[in-house]
């Protein structure tokens, strides 16, 4: 089974970066099992087509605007995921919406989707999550951990002296833009 855990969002807009920050926390804390890839998708859209195409399962991590109160942690499954991105609340979500539409037309959609998201408290300029969002990061990590475990792909906790995970050996999605890097 090929599983992609994809964190998206703009890390320059405080809570908008929750998906990317979740990927960073997972890589820092856990060994990733075979058949699972963790990827920082940043604000990419169509550029993610190659890494998402024909996956068995994509777990998408993002800040989402569902109309719920800030801090609400959201879980969506299967067809609910593309439906959320049709509401387009940010430029990267516009890109994800377009990406899912094209992948549907070309028959390259992943077989299964899960989205773990949080309604942001703040989208102010800043590179750190808001103070209120910090506990939500822990909830996001737990949800990914539990989902992968339920799929038979458990994450293994790193020892205190073990180095962080290294980035996958692939060219960055934004190779033409050296200011953006992917984990």
């Amino acid at each position: 089974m090929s599983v992609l855990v994809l964190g998206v969002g703009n890390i320059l807009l405080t809570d908008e970066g929750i998906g990317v920050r979740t990927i960073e926390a997972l890589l820092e804390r856990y060994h990733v099992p075979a058949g699972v890839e963790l990827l920082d998708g940043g604000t990419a859209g169509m550029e993610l087509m190659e890494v998402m195409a024909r996956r068995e399962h994509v777990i998408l991590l993002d800040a989402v605007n569902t109309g719920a109160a800030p801090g609400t942690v959201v879980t969506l499954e299967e067809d609910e995921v593309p439906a959320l991105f049709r509401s387009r609340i940010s430029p990267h979500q516009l890109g994800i919406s377009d990406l899912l539409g094209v992948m549907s037309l070309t028959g390259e959609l992943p077989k299964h989707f899960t989205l773990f998201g949080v309604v942001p408290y703040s989208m102010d300029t800043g590179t750190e999550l808001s103070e209120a969002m910090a506990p939500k990061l822990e909830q996001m990590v737990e949800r990914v951990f539990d989902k992968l475990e339920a799929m038979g792909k458990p994450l293994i906790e790193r020892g205190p002296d073990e180095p962080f995970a290294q980035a996958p050996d692939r060219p960055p999605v934004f190779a033409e833009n050296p200011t953006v890097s992917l984990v």
Side-chain angles (χ1 to χ4, degrees), residues 45-68:
M46 295 299 289
E47 298 87 353
L48 294 169
M49 188 166 184
E50 184 179 322
V51 295
M52 287 180 64
R54 295 179 295 281
R55 293 281 185 151
E56 182 70 25
H57 200 120
V58 171
I59 301 171
L60 191 59
L61 312 173
D62 197 5
V64 294
N65 185 4
T66 62

Side-chain angles (χ1 to χ4, degrees), residues 40-100:
D40 166 357
T43 57
M46 295 299 289
E47 298 87 353
L48 294 169
M49 188 166 184
E50 184 179 322
V51 295
M52 287 180 64
R54 295 179 295 281
R55 293 281 185 151
E56 182 70 25
H57 200 120
V58 171
I59 301 171
L60 191 59
L61 312 173
D62 197 5
V64 294
N65 185 4
T66 62
T72 301
V73 180
V74 176
T75 299
L76 299 176
E77 299 280 346
E78 307 304 349
D79 293 339
E80 296 172 318
V81 177
L84 173 74
F85 286 98
R86 290 185 202 115
S87 66
R88 303 174 176 178
I89 66 158
S90 71
H92 83 266
Q93 288 183 337
L94 173 62
I96 296 289
S97 177
D98 292 344
L99 170 65
L100 295 177

Side-chain angles (χ1 to χ4, degrees), residues 20-159:
V20 172
R21 299 303 183 205
T22 303
I23 292 293
E24 292 171 350
L26 289 164
L27 288 169
E28 180 180 317
R29 299 175 193 178
Y30 300 104
H31 293 281
V32 181
V36 175
E37 183 177 0
L38 275 61
L39 183 66
D40 166 357
T43 57
M46 295 299 289
E47 298 87 353
L48 294 169
M49 188 166 184
E50 184 179 322
V51 295
M52 287 180 64
R54 295 179 295 281
R55 293 281 185 151
E56 182 70 25
H57 200 120
V58 171
I59 301 171
L60 191 59
L61 312 173
D62 197 5
V64 294
N65 185 4
T66 62
T72 301
V73 180
V74 176
T75 299
L76 299 176
E77 299 280 346
E78 307 304 349
D79 293 339
E80 296 172 318
V81 177
L84 173 74
F85 286 98
R86 290 185 202 115
S87 66
R88 303 174 176 178
I89 66 158
S90 71
H92 83 266
Q93 288 183 337
L94 173 62
I96 296 289
S97 177
D98 292 344
L99 170 65
L100 295 177
V102 169
M103 290 178 78
S104 178
L105 290 173
T106 61
E108 295 179 300
L109 271 176
K111 290 183 182 177
H112 302 283
F113 272 111
T114 301
L115 176 132
F116 298 126
V118 183
V119 179
Y121 292 96
S122 168
M123 300 253 298
D124 293 337
T125 303
T127 59
E128 300 295 323
L129 296 174
S130 68
E131 188 175 317
M133 186 61 94
K136 304 306 177 181
L137 175 65
E138 295 307 314
Q139 289 180 28
M140 293 283 282
V141 167
E142 288 173 17
R143 287 188 184 207
V144 173
F145 182 94
D146 292 346
K147 181 69 175 183
L148 290 172
E149 189 169 63
M151 296 170 75
K153 301 280 187 182
L155 296 169
I156 309 291
E157 194 166 348
R158 291 183 179 285

